[in-house]
Amino acid sequence: MQTHSALLSTSQYPIFSFGCNCEGSNLSLFPCNLNFGVGRARRNLKVCQTRASFWESIRSGFLKNNTTQVIEPPSTNQGEEEPLPEEFVLVEKTLADGTIEQIIFSSGGDVDVYDLQALCDKVGWPRRPLSKLSAALKNSYMVATLHSLRKSPGEDDEYTWRSYLTEGNEQKKLIGMARATSDHAFNATIWDVLVDPSYQGQGLGKALVEKTIRALLQRDIGNITLFADSQVVEFYRNLGFEPDPEGIKGMFWHPRY
Amino acid sequence: MLLRGIVSAPLPSTLSLKASARPSQNASLSFSISDQELESRGFSLRRSISDLNLDHLNSVFVAVGFPKRDTEKIRVALENTESVQWVEYRKTQRPVAFARATGDGVFNAIIWDVVVDPSFQGIGLGKAVMERLLEELLGKGITTIALYSEPRVLGFYRPLGFVADPDGIRGMVYSRKRNKKF
C-alpha cells in the first residue's frame, strides 16, 4: 500500500504523522517528538486536576512549562455512564499573545467537505472526488471532528488560513476527523482517522478515537473494529483494541500494494 | 465476521475468479456456479430483505454457532446494510445461505455474517453468495472490501481473492475487558 512512502515524503514534522491510504489501511503513525509547530510563542499551560489514566496520557503531551486547561465534559466519577455531549471543549489554552484556543470535539458530523479535503491534503492523502467524500460522510454512521477555535482578545483578526469567521473575532478550523460505518445494531468500523500535522503530538488523535469509541458504545454498538497499519497497532492497542482476537484475521479483497 | 463449520468443497468449474489477477471493476465477474444452475437445483438467489424471514435467518446463525441475537436488532442491522445476498431453498422457502456488507457506499465495505446452513454446506452456496456480493460492491465502484475471518476459513476466502494482513495491516477489535473504564 502507498501509505508509508506517501507519509515519509510529505511529512515535515518528526512527529506523529496521522494519515492513511484510503485504499484500505486505517492509520499510519510514527513515534512522536513533542513539537507543537503552532507558532514560536511561549504558551502558558496549566494542568488541571483531572481523572487519572486516560487524561494522564493527554497531559503528558504538554510541555511542563506551559499551561493548558484540560476540560472534561461535565461528568461525575461514574463519568462513563454519563451520556457524552455531542459537542464539548476538549482542551483550552491561552497563547502568548492572549489568544484563547479551544479544541472542540464534536460527534455531530458537521464537516465542510472542502475543509476536509484541505485536511486530507495536509496529511498527504491522495485526492478523492469531493462528491464521493460528501457521500461517504453522509453514509457514515458517525463522523467525529476536532476543530480549533481561536478567540482574539477583542481585536479584528485578519488571518486567512482555512477558517471561517464567527462572531467577528473567532476563527474555527477543522484539525481532525474520524468516522465510523455501522449497521446501527451490531458492528461499527472506524476509518479515516486524521489529525492536522500542526496539531499532532498532543494526544488529540487519542482523544478523538477514545471519544468516538465512547459515543459508539453509548449507542449500544457492541463490536467496534478497525484496520491498522503495522506502525499504529500499538497506538490502538493502548486504546483498548486487540489485533487478531482469537486468531480472527482481517482480510482485504485484492489489495493494491 | 465468523464462518463456522463450513467445509468448502467447490464443484469443478471453468469459470472461477482467479485470485491472482484483479478483475477490472467494469468487467462482470464470472461466477463459479451460474444463476441458472442454482435455480435448476432448487435454489433461488435473492437480494432483498423484504421476503427474508428473520427468525429463519436467525436459526441459521445459531446453527453455525453464532450467539443468538435479537430478531429486531437483526432487522435494524439489515435495514442499515448496504448489500445483502442470500439463497432460498425453494422447497422449504427458508434461507440456506447469507452474506451482507456494510459501508459508506463509495470507498469502503465490510462483509459480515457469511453463513451457510450446515445441511447445505459443501456444494458451493457460500461461494455463490460471496461472488455475487463482491460483484455488487465492485459495481458501485467500492475498491476497499474487507472482512474478518476465523482462522479455519481463511482457505474459503483466499480463492475468492481475499488476502490476510496485506502489507502488515491488522484487523483489530475493541475489547471492553481491556478497558475497564467502559
Side-chain angles (χ1 to χ4, degrees):
Chain A
M1 305 238 175
Q2 300 160 357
T3 321
H4 318 331
S5 53
L7 286 166
L8 287 166
S9 60
T10 60
S11 172
Q12 301 153 318
Y13 305 86
I15 54 173
F16 281 127
S17 189
F18 276 74
C20 98
N21 185 336
C22 40
E23 298 287 43
S25 62
N26 207 309
L27 185 68
S28 280
L29 196 63
F30 299 97
C32 90
N33 293 326
L34 292 173
N35 178 2
F36 291 94
V38 182
R40 296 273 169 268
R42 210 167 44 67
R43 280 164 289 164
N44 297 320
L45 300 177
K46 179 184 71 197
V47 177
C48 280
Q49 189 64 25
T50 58
R51 268 189 289 165
S53 60
F54 173 69
W55 288 107
E56 281 299 329
S57 63
I58 296 288
R59 263 190 284 162
S60 65
F62 297 109
L63 297 170
K64 289 187 174 48
N65 61 344
N66 292 326
T67 49
T68 288
Q69 225 169 4
V70 180
I71 296 168
E72 258 315 286
S75 65
T76 63
N77 276 339
Q78 314 106 275
E80 296 81 80
E81 286 146 34
E82 294 279 331
L84 196 74
E86 190 176 88
E87 186 169 293
F88 59 89
V89 180
L90 201 64
V91 170
E92 181 174 295
K93 30 179 129 89
T94 304
L95 309 182
D97 63 359
T99 306
I100 295 171
E101 183 177 43
Q102 292 181 327
I103 308 294
I104 297 164
F105 172 89
S106 169
S107 55
D110 186 21
V111 182
D112 178 308
V113 72
Y114 291 96
D115 286 347
L116 178 59
Q117 183 161 82
L119 185 58
C120 289
D121 287 348
K122 276 189 124 179
V123 299
W125 288 8
R127 275 267 171 125
R128 297 184 280 190
L130 280 174
S131 56
K132 283 200 166 184
L133 267 181
S134 205
L137 290 173
K138 204 168 69 135
N139 294 328
S140 294
Y141 180 60
M142 181 176 300
V143 179
T145 54
L146 292 176
H147 282 87
S148 148
L149 186 68
R150 283 192 180 184
K151 299 178 194 176
S152 311
E155 284 181 344
D156 283 349
D157 201 331
E158 293 173 76
Y159 225 135
T160 52
W161 30 278
R162 280 208 76 82
S163 62
Y164 48 92
L165 292 170
T166 57
E167 293 177 30
N169 62 348
E170 286 188 344
Q171 287 180 353
K172 196 170 176 183
K173 184 165 105 154
L174 177 72
I175 60 160
M177 190 203 70
R179 66 183 181 101
T181 55
S182 171
D183 59 16
H184 302 214
F186 301 119
N187 311 306
T189 305
I190 298 177
W191 302 98
D192 292 355
V193 180
L194 68 164
V195 174
D196 186 316
S198 318
Y199 287 84
Q200 291 176 10
Q202 301 177 30
L204 291 175
K206 239 174 162 170
L208 186 58
V209 176
E210 192 266 345
K211 296 303 178 198
T212 303
I213 294 167
R214 194 161 143 186
L216 288 169
L217 290 172
Q218 277 176 0
R219 293 190 200 182
D220 216 19
I221 304 294
N223 191 33
I224 301 173
T225 63
L226 53 84
F227 296 94
D229 277 355
S230 48
Q231 309 99 303
V232 295
V233 170
E234 272 319 294
F235 172 81
Y236 285 109
R237 217 193 286 257
N238 292 334
L239 283 165
F241 286 87
E242 203 181 314
D244 307 342
E246 292 171 25
I248 290 171
K249 302 295 265 168
M251 298 183 94
F252 284 83
W253 191 78
H254 286 291
R256 291 201 188 103
Y257 290 98
Chain B
M1 135 35 287
L2 303 172
L3 186 64
R4 297 173 210 253
I6 189 165
V7 175
S8 182
L11 296 166
S13 162
T14 53
L15 301 171
S16 51
L17 292 176
K18 293 211 184 304
S20 49
R22 186 182 227 260
S24 76
Q25 260 155 250
N26 291 324
S28 64
L29 303 174
S30 334
F31 298 136
S32 302
I33 306 174
S34 69
D35 288 21
Q36 297 93 308
E37 209 176 325
L38 284 164
E39 294 283 333
S40 70
R41 291 184 199 176
F43 298 108
S44 298
L45 286 152
R46 312 291 295 276
R47 290 186 172 207
S48 147
I49 58 167
S50 48
D51 290 338
L52 177 54
N53 181 311
L54 297 186
D55 289 309
H56 292 168
L57 178 65
N58 212 359
S59 59
V60 180
F61 287 149
V62 169
V64 300
F66 286 13
K68 185 153 196 247
R69 293 182 289 187
D70 179 61
T71 319
E72 278 320 298
K73 243 187 151 175
I74 295 178
R75 187 185 311 280
V76 172
L78 293 188
E79 281 165 4
N80 292 290
T81 290
E82 203 181 292
S83 305
V84 170
Q85 286 280 345
W86 57 286
V87 173
E88 182 188 50
Y89 186 43
R90 283 203 300 277
K91 191 158 138 189
T92 57
Q93 293 193 306
R94 292 176 78 110
V96 291
F98 179 89
R100 68 183 177 105
T102 59
D104 57 23
V106 280
F107 300 129
N108 312 314
I110 311 243
I111 298 175
W112 304 99
D113 295 342
V114 182
V115 296
V116 179
D117 185 307
S119 315
F120 292 86
Q121 290 179 7
I123 58 173
L125 294 182
K127 200 163 195 170
V129 293
M130 282 297 298
E131 287 175 344
R132 285 156 179 84
L133 193 63
L134 283 168
E135 189 195 52
E136 192 184 338
L137 294 170
L138 292 167
K140 293 186 190 182
I142 294 169
T143 51
T144 298
I145 302 170
L147 54 83
Y148 294 87
S149 169
E150 274 197 27
R152 272 184 309 141
V153 290
L154 292 168
F156 167 75
Y157 292 110
R158 265 190 227 110
L160 289 162
F162 287 90
V163 178
D165 297 350
D167 216 23
I169 294 173
R170 308 280 292 281
M172 300 185 85
V173 180
Y174 184 76
S175 165
R176 252 175 275 214
K177 301 195 292 293
R178 292 175 54 90
N179 209 337
K180 299 179 194 70
K181 285 184 288 154
F182 305 123

